[in-house]
Amino acid sequence: MNVFYEEDGGFKVGAIMSESEASLQVEAASGKRSKIKAAAVLLRFDKIGLNDFLPQAQTVADGLDLDFLWECSGGEEFGFMDLAREYYGAAPSPTEAAAMAIRLHSAPMYFYRKGKGRYKAAPEDNLKAAKAGQERKQRETAQIEQWSQALLAGELPEPIRAQQRMLLHRPDKNTIEWKAVALAAENAQLSPLRLLARCGAIPDIEAYFLDGFLTEYFPKGTGFPAIELPPPPSGLLNADVVAFSIDDSATTEIDDAFSVVRLDNGNWRVGVHIAAPTLGVEAGSALEQVVLQRLSTVYMPGNKITMLPDAVVEAFTLAEGRDCAALSLYLEVSPEFEPLGHHSRVERVHIGANLRHDAIEPFFNEQSVKEPESGPDYPYKQELLLLWRLANRLEEKRGKADPNRVERLDYSFRIDTDATGQRHVAIEPRRRGSPMDKLVAELMIYVNSEWGKLLAEQGVAAIYRAQNAGRVRMTTQPAPHVGLGVAQYAWASSPLRRAVDFINQQQLVALLDAETPRYARNDPMLFAAMRDFDQTYNAYADFQAKMERYWCLRWLEQENISEPTATVLKENLVRFDGLPLVARIAGLPELPRGTPVRLQRVGIDYLDLALECRLLSAGEPVALLPDEEEELSANEEAEAAAEAAETELASAATDTPPEAA
């Protein structure tokens, strides 16, 4: 005797070897023996071989009409044998009965399982819904296949094109559009990104990178909500100085300006004036929320996304010819440029000029400051020379002066668009530590250090940047910044461009006005703002570095540089000459660091921002600059942070934040 039984969600047959009241020992056609429960047995049969029974039953089951069976089954629970008797009109054969069980079991949409061999017909509404879902799935499967074939042929179906932003940057893997792309990519043995690029979904790689960044950090767009401007600050005293700023020609967020006044005692009073957008901004106001959400201006070659709305920037930027609200630090300086003391106050300052690098640097540079009296006159010449001498003294007091130091180059990017819409890049080198850079950088370091000290001494909460053992970090506790050589360092000089500076200015203004600070010590909101800023600022810097790398590669192609030169930094890592570009060269033989090499450009992959080159020739090694040696130390992470700290000196003088280390 044989049995037809249910096990593990399927049907099996076996010959009975032994039997008890609760279980049976059966042997399959393969010879495998199993112990099964008596309750699992659905029917017994003989006269049909084990190898033939299930195939015959399946053939019969395939011919059973599910809709007809559903109509015959009624609304009550039933056993498969009951329906088999009704369907066949007589005692069904074992094959027919097994076929009924197999058919019912295979159609959970029609029949709900209620136990071994027992079922209940699905309610009519449920069945209709299930059928509709099945039909939809079949249509979707056909659509996925159709789109997949089009993608494999290099075509971009319109529905895929309409969803390409989502597919490229934030794919929903449950959509049929993504499933079509994934299927085609698998068949083409490409990544989905490469497949979409091959089909023309990325006509502009610059726009693709920007779109990906905006999708991640500005999903609602770069526009600002409707914001009511804070009322013009009232009751401010007018400063008895005329100040001037020094910025790149593209700068619109002018945070800082300077003034110089000769005192009756023969000393000088140097004023550092910082824009004060915090005046009138109430806690929890819409403008403050914008600052805490944006956290920083985003920079990229040829573009930027400001932290504050244009109207707010316009209201508080230190624009030429205007009386502007400012937080000022006045430093008394001896004729020997020795700092004698300082004080701070909130006031209104007249801005006499916005000096621009490109207009002033031809006159105020490394050569002209050596013989200042022999050169031509230029705007604010005497003030600039005095501030430069003061900057040198401040650098000495920080312990960072080195007359033999050879400064590395920084680079600025300019992107122009011609009449045809074609974008062109100009990459212009600029040596760190120029008189103009040093002047601004040293005074900003002084201001940020002294205001950080004031906040710490008065017990007012603030956010500091600290560096120890090569690692730069944000903290709410004052701590030394070894890279800059100061006891504490609190960003407060760029409140139009960075949220940390905005927050620290809020605290400073409250302290100077003898009001309750916005943030108390150990305020969880201050910790949250610091954490959010640190993460976001680093992400913005990474994006800036990514776009600069893209434009470096574009420049190589634009200028048809087929044989670039570079210097070996470490192993197969080289720094290209005349560009802020570092890349690994596959197959480069082991060469000493400092070895100049001439390479052949083989190819550029803009999607991966990869440059393929091969070695043509190598020269004699030369000594790297000290900071280049440092960045190749064993602890690369710590060294990268130290590099970023050093970069702050140069970046303080520009409209560009420090490069991502």
Side-chain angles (χ1 to χ4, degrees):
M1 181 64 66
N2 303 321
V3 291
F4 171 71
Y5 63 96
E6 184 179 345
E7 185 179 70
D8 298 331
F11 297 110
K12 298 180 180 179
V13 293
I16 299 174
M17 305 301 295
S18 63
E19 183 176 4
S20 66
E21 183 176 349
S23 64
L24 297 86
Q25 190 82 16
V26 299
E27 184 179 65
S30 64
K32 180 183 178 181
R33 295 189 177 186
S34 305
K35 183 178 181 180
I36 64 172
K37 294 181 179 180
V41 175
L42 299 181
L43 58 85
R44 298 171 184 248
F45 66 94
D46 54 15
K47 300 180 182 179
I48 303 177
L50 292 179
N51 286 330
D52 298 328
F53 186 82
L54 283 177
Q56 291 179 12
Q58 184 64 57
T59 300
V60 175
D62 292 342
L64 296 176
D65 189 319
L66 284 172
D67 290 300
F68 181 71
L69 293 178
W70 180 82
E71 291 176 1
C72 296
S73 62
E76 300 299 324
E77 183 181 324
F78 62 91
F80 77 98
M81 189 63 76
D82 298 328
L83 187 58
R85 292 191 189 98
E86 182 176 350
Y87 181 82
Y88 289 105
S93 68
T95 302
E96 291 171 337
M100 182 62 70
I102 291 171
R103 191 59 167 151
L104 295 173
H105 202 75
S106 69
M109 184 173 70
Y110 284 83
F111 302 100
Y112 299 157
R113 299 169 190 172
K114 293 297 183 180
K116 293 186 184 299
R118 299 196 62 78
Y119 302 90
K120 183 177 181 180
E124 183 175 3
D125 290 344
N126 292 20
L127 180 59
K128 288 181 178 178
K131 282 185 173 182
Q134 186 180 59
E135 292 171 359
R136 182 178 64 253
K137 186 174 181 179
Q138 292 172 346
R139 290 195 302 271
E140 289 178 351
T141 300
Q143 185 66 81
I144 289 170
E145 180 63 28
Q146 180 185 346
W147 287 344
S148 173
Q149 292 301 318
L151 290 165
L152 286 171
E155 301 171 6
L156 195 64
E158 187 55 39
I160 302 287
R161 187 185 302 278
Q163 295 294 320
Q164 68 184 42
R165 184 180 188 191
M166 176 271 292
L167 294 169
L168 288 169
H169 303 299
R170 190 171 288 178
D172 180 351
K173 297 186 178 181
N174 293 318
T175 63
I176 62 172
E177 291 85 359
W178 171 259
K179 291 176 181 177
V181 171
L183 177 61
E186 181 180 1
N187 291 334
Q189 296 186 330
L190 294 171
S191 69
L193 175 62
R194 292 288 175 180
L195 175 77
L196 288 168
R198 191 178 73 174
C199 294
I202 310 177
D204 184 336
I205 292 183
E206 179 196 5
Y208 160 72
F209 286 142
L210 177 58
D211 201 38
F213 174 76
L214 296 179
T215 300
E216 179 71 20
Y217 292 97
F218 295 86
K220 297 180 180 179
T222 58
F224 292 90
I227 294 178
E228 183 177 351
L229 285 174
S234 59
L236 298 181
L237 296 177
N238 291 321
D240 59 348
V241 299
V242 175
F244 61 94
S245 66
I246 306 171
D247 290 283
D248 186 85
S249 59
T251 302
T252 57
E253 302 154 290
I254 303 175
D255 288 294
D256 52 80
F258 311 97
S259 63
V260 177
V261 174
R262 185 67 179 262
L263 300 176
D264 293 339
N265 61 6
N267 295 332
W268 297 93
R269 186 182 68 192
V270 173
V272 181
H273 312 283
I274 305 300
T278 61
L279 297 181
V281 178
E282 297 181 359
S285 66
L287 181 55
E288 186 187 56
Q289 290 304 308
V290 165
V291 171
L292 296 179
Q293 290 167 5
R294 291 284 180 111
L295 294 167
S296 172
T297 291
V298 183
Y299 295 92
M300 68 201 84
N303 196 6
K304 67 179 178 180
I305 304 169
T306 59
M307 181 180 75
L308 292 170
D310 290 344
V312 177
V313 172
E314 176 63 24
F316 289 98
T317 188
L318 302 183
E320 181 176 303
R322 286 180 12 190
D323 294 332
C324 301
L327 176 57
S328 300
L329 181 145
Y330 287 100
L331 171 65
E332 186 169 348
V333 181
S334 74
E336 294 74 34
F337 305 103
E338 190 69 27
L340 301 177
H342 63 80
H343 66 278
S344 301
R345 66 187 181 206
V346 182
E347 59 186 2
R348 194 180 305 277
V349 178
H350 183 75
I351 308 300
N354 293 144
L355 304 183
R356 302 298 184 175
H357 289 170
D358 55 351
I360 295 298
E361 199 153 23
F363 307 101
F364 180 59
N365 52 50
E366 290 92 336
Q367 297 304 317
S368 67
V369 296
K370 294 176 181 178
E371 298 180 2
E373 303 306 325
S374 62
D377 287 335
Y378 48 87
Y380 293 90
K381 176 178 180 179
Q382 297 306 317
E383 290 86 346
L384 289 169
L385 290 171
L386 185 142
L387 292 177
W388 178 70
R389 295 185 180 108
L390 172 61
N392 284 316
R393 180 61 185 133
L394 293 175
E395 184 182 47
E396 290 174 5
K397 293 180 71 66
R398 291 191 300 110
K400 297 297 178 179
D402 181 0
N404 299 316
R405 182 171 62 202
V406 179
E407 300 286 359
R408 278 179 52 192
L409 294 176
D410 280 327
Y411 296 86
S412 61
F413 292 74
R414 190 182 74 252
I415 312 298
D416 299 317
T417 304
D418 63 22
T420 66
Q422 185 69 31
R423 305 260 281 171
H424 300 272
V425 58
I427 303 176
E428 299 167 351
R430 182 175 174 188
R431 189 165 298 281
R432 292 182 187 176
S434 68
M436 192 172 299
D437 285 353
K438 180 181 290 189
L439 182 161
V440 177
E442 288 298 334
L443 288 172
M444 293 305 104
I445 292 170
Y446 185 85
V447 161
N448 289 329
S449 176
E450 292 302 321
W451 277 342
K453 180 180 179 182
L454 176 63
L455 290 166
E457 289 178 343
Q458 297 301 315
V460 177
I463 298 175
Y464 298 86
R465 285 176 68 80
Q467 185 209 359
N468 192 16
R471 177 173 172 262
V472 178
R473 60 189 175 89
M474 307 295 291
T475 174
T476 58
Q477 300 299 319
H481 194 303
V482 176
L484 298 179
V486 294
Q488 64 285 309
Y489 188 62
W491 267 345
S493 55
S494 296
L496 292 172
R497 299 186 285 132
R498 289 188 301 232
V500 164
D501 302 61
F502 187 94
I503 289 170
N504 284 338
Q505 187 179 91
Q506 285 180 311
Q507 301 295 90
L508 282 163
V509 169
L511 173 61
L512 295 174
D513 289 346
E515 297 177 349
T516 302
R518 168 71 173 93
Y519 298 95
R521 294 180 66 83
N522 299 320
D523 192 327
M525 292 179 62
L526 185 65
F527 285 104
M530 179 183 71
R531 179 200 63 227
D532 293 345
F533 173 83
D534 198 26
Q535 294 174 349
T536 303
Y537 190 72
N538 288 334
Y540 290 179
D542 287 344
F543 175 66
Q544 178 187 353
K546 180 178 184 178
M547 295 309 296
E548 289 181 355
R549 185 176 183 86
Y550 166 78
W551 282 111
C552 285
L553 298 179
R554 279 283 300 269
W555 185 86
L556 287 173
E557 185 175 46
Q558 169 190 295
E559 302 298 318
N560 196 28
I561 307 297
S562 59
E563 296 184 1
T565 57
T567 301
V568 175
L569 296 180
K570 180 182 180 181
E571 298 172 350
N572 64 345
L573 187 70
V574 304
R575 185 193 303 278
F576 285 79
D577 297 338
L579 291 174
L581 176 63
V582 173
R584 294 194 178 276
I585 307 302
L588 189 72
E590 185 173 346
L591 296 170
R593 66 178 61 183
T595 300
V597 293
R598 186 165 62 91
L599 306 170
Q600 181 182 41
R601 176 165 62 88
V602 177
I604 295 175
D605 186 331
Y606 287 110
L607 276 178
D608 284 341
L609 295 178
L611 174 63
E612 183 182 359
C613 294
R614 66 168 58 99
L615 178 67
L616 292 178
S617 62
E620 292 298 321
V622 296
L624 295 179
L625 297 177
D627 52 354
E628 290 178 317
E629 288 284 358
E630 290 174 3
E631 71 181 1
L632 299 174
S633 67
N635 190 341
E636 289 185 298
E637 179 180 355
E639 205 53 42
E643 172 86 0
E646 289 295 323
T647 307
E648 287 175 357
L649 295 176
S651 66
T654 71
D655 192 35
T656 305
E659 295 176 1

